[in-house]
Amino acid sequence: MRRPPVAATLAALREQIDAWRRDGLRIGFAPTMGGLHEGHLDLVRAAARRADRVVVSIFVNPLQFGPTEDFATYPRDLDGDIERLAGESCDLVFTPDEHMMYPRGRTDTTRVEPPPGLASILCGAARPGHFAGVATVVARLFNLVAPDVAVFGEKDFQQLTVIRRMATDLAFDVEVAGVPTRREADGLAMSSRNRYLAPEERSRASGLYAALQAAGTALAAGEEDLVAIQHAGMENIRSAGMEPEYFEVRRPEGLEQSLAADRRFVILAAARLGRARLIDNVTVELDALPPVEPGEAE
Ligand code: PAF
C-alpha cells in the first residue's frame, strides 16, 4: 500500500497547501501526537468525508506535558505511524520538529491561554497548563495548515471543548468537528497511553467505561440526584481497582455543572491505573430516548 507523502519542513507543507488552495480544494486536518491507533484512523476517515484532501500532523507537543509527566517516554514511532496511514485517505503527513513549532524555544513563545472556567477544571485541575499547551500548538498548526475543517476525538471531550472555544474566540476560519470514541471490545477507549497498562491492569481498565455507562443508565432512568451519581461513579471506579481522579456530570456545551432539570449531559471521568492515567466520557440526551409507554414505567 502506498505510504502518504511526508512534509518535514514548513516550505514543503506550504507548497502543497498552496497548490491545493489554487485548485480550489477543501482541506481537512487531523492533528495527532503519533502513536497512531484505530481511533486516529477514524479521525483521518472523518476528515476525508468532510474535505478533498487530508493532512495529518504528528508532533509530540512538549508544552502540554507537566514537568512530572510522560513527555520523554510518550510513544514515538514515526515510521510505524506513516505505515499505519498507508491505505488511508491521508494525502500529506506533516512532521514538524520542535524548532519549527517553537522557533525561539518552548519557553520563549506566545501562548494561547484558554479561559480558566474551561481549562482549570476536570483534567485541567490535575494538569495545570495542559490546555494552554494544547491551545497554543493547535493555534499554530491551524495557522500553518490553514484547514477548512479540523477533527478531534470526542474521547478528549474537554480538549475538544477548549479547541472549539479557542477557534471561536480567536476567529479561526475553521470548522472544528468531533469524532466518536473508538473502543476496544470490552469498552476501553482507545488511547496511545493504553500501552502503559500491564496485562493485569489492562483487564481492569474497562471498569472506567462501565462506571460511566452505569451513570448514564441512571440518568436515563430518571435519577435526579447528580451528586449521588457522581459518588457512585467514584466508588465503581475504586471497586474496579483504579484510583478515581474525578467523576462529574456536566453540561456538554461549556462543561458547567449540570442541573437535575437539564436534558443533555456529559459524564466525564479520569482514573489512575499503574503508569496510566485514563480518561473517558459518555453523553446522555434525555429527549433522544424513546418515549416511555404508559404502563412501562416501574
Ligand atoms: O489529542 C492530541 O493528540 C493532542 O492533544 C493534539 C490535539 C494533537 C495537540 O497536541
Side-chain angles (χ1 to χ4, degrees), residues 52-252:
D52 303 307
R53 295 289 182 274
V54 174
V55 180
V56 174
S57 66
I58 298 179
F59 176 63
V60 184
N61 171 35
L63 289 195
Q64 67 190 76
F65 290 78
T68 60
E69 293 183 354
D70 55 344
F71 175 66
T73 55
Y74 195 84
R76 288 170 175 83
D77 174 18
L78 188 55
D79 197 55
D81 286 340
I82 293 169
E83 192 58 43
R84 232 153 276 139
L85 290 167
E88 297 296 330
S89 37
C90 168
D91 300 288
L92 189 68
V93 188
F94 176 45
T95 58
D97 61 17
E98 192 173 326
H99 181 69
M100 273 180 245
M101 292 306 291
Y102 305 117
R104 290 168 177 272
R106 63 177 87 155
T107 53
D108 186 13
T109 191
T110 301
R111 284 166 192 259
V112 176
E113 196 72 52
L118 270 187
S120 307
I121 58 170
L122 303 168
C123 285
R127 307 186 69 189
H130 169 67
F131 288 111
V134 170
T136 301
V137 79
V138 172
R140 183 155 166 82
L141 287 167
F142 278 2
N143 281 329
L144 294 173
V145 177
D148 297 283
V149 57
V151 291
F152 296 85
E154 287 174 356
K155 188 200 135 233
D156 299 303
F157 196 94
Q158 186 175 9
Q159 167 172 283
L160 176 60
T161 310
V162 165
I163 290 167
R164 280 204 166 110
R165 179 69 189 273
M166 177 196 77
T168 306
D169 287 355
L170 300 186
F172 277 102
D173 189 14
V174 56
E175 177 197 339
V176 176
V179 177
T181 303
R182 176 66 86 107
R183 299 185 180 280
E184 305 286 355
D186 66 353
L188 175 66
M190 287 191 188
S191 162
S192 309
R193 288 183 167 110
N194 288 352
R195 63 193 80 184
Y196 296 160
L197 295 167
E200 181 275 326
E201 291 164 349
R202 171 64 191 84
S203 63
R204 281 185 273 148
S206 61
L208 184 64
Y209 182 51
L212 288 164
Q213 279 184 307
T217 305
L219 274 177
E223 174 60 69
E224 292 190 348
D225 187 344
L226 304 183
V227 173
I229 289 179
Q230 294 177 166
H231 281 151
M234 297 287 277
E235 209 33 63
N236 285 339
I237 292 174
R238 249 179 233 113
S239 314
M242 286 174 268
E243 187 48 50
E245 194 180 275
Y246 65 77
F247 191 102
E248 301 211 13
V249 184
R250 298 264 172 166
R251 291 184 161 166

